[in-house]
Amino acid sequence: MANRSALDTLIELAQRDTDEAAKRLGAALRAAEETEQKLTMLLGYRDDYAARLEAAQAAGITPMAYRNFVAFMDKLDNAINGQREVVKHAHYKSGVEKTAWQACERKRLSYRTLNERAARQALQAENKRDQKQMDEHAARQAYYKR
């Protein structure tokens, strides 16, 4: 019985670890989603700004205004490239957290399997004891009936 309680404790700890890993995975997935949304916003803003530049060029634009547009577009491109790196890192982090959660889940499931196996073995042993007692009782009954 001491073995079962130790196994139950291991199962509880593994469940806790799995829950914590799931929370970290959830946070990593949310962070990856947020970084993608920010990238999408930056790309949309860049497209909008490129359209403004095109419209300004069609209407006539001063060289100074053109340089300002181009300089701002360069800054936007740098921000977009930086955000792409952030997205890549966020996806890497969620992959790491997913792997960690899977490892915790495998561990939890193996402890549960061990626990179920131990419970089955204990039940079989108890059934065997009961059967032996019933056989002994039946043998005594038969002996005294003679």
Side-chain angles (χ1 to χ4, degrees), residues 7 9 34 43 63 68 72 86 90 112 123-124 126 134 139 144:
L7 201 49
T9 302
E34 289 169 8
L43 289 169
N68 288 341
F72 188 71
V86 170
R112 191 177 81 188
L123 183 61
Q124 286 173 345
E126 185 178 336
M134 288 186 345
Y144 289 117

Side-chain angles (χ1 to χ4, degrees), residues 52-73:
R52 284 187 199 178
L53 174 60
E54 223 173 271
Q57 283 178 319
I61 186 171
T62 65
M64 180 67 133
Y66 178 78
R67 277 193 301 278
N68 288 341
F69 263 108
V70 170
F72 188 71
M73 293 284 279

Side-chain angles (χ1 to χ4, degrees), residues 4-15 107-108 111:
R4 288 217 46 209
S5 69
L7 201 49
D8 288 341
T9 302
L10 286 174
I11 291 170
E12 286 177 28
L13 291 173
Q15 181 65 52
K107 186 183 207 179
R108 185 187 69 79
Y111 285 145

Side-chain angles (χ1 to χ4, degrees), residues 133-146:
Q133 286 176 349
M134 288 186 345
D135 291 348
E136 288 173 359
H137 180 67
R140 274 192 304 257
Q141 290 286 339
Y143 178 75
Y144 289 117
K145 279 186 180 180
R146 287 187 190 172

Side-chain angles (χ1 to χ4, degrees), residues 27-40 83 87:
L29 290 172
R30 278 190 301 281
E33 177 74 25
E34 289 169 8
T35 61
E36 287 176 4
Q37 288 173 354
K38 188 171 181 182
L39 177 60
T40 301
Q83 190 61 27
V87 167

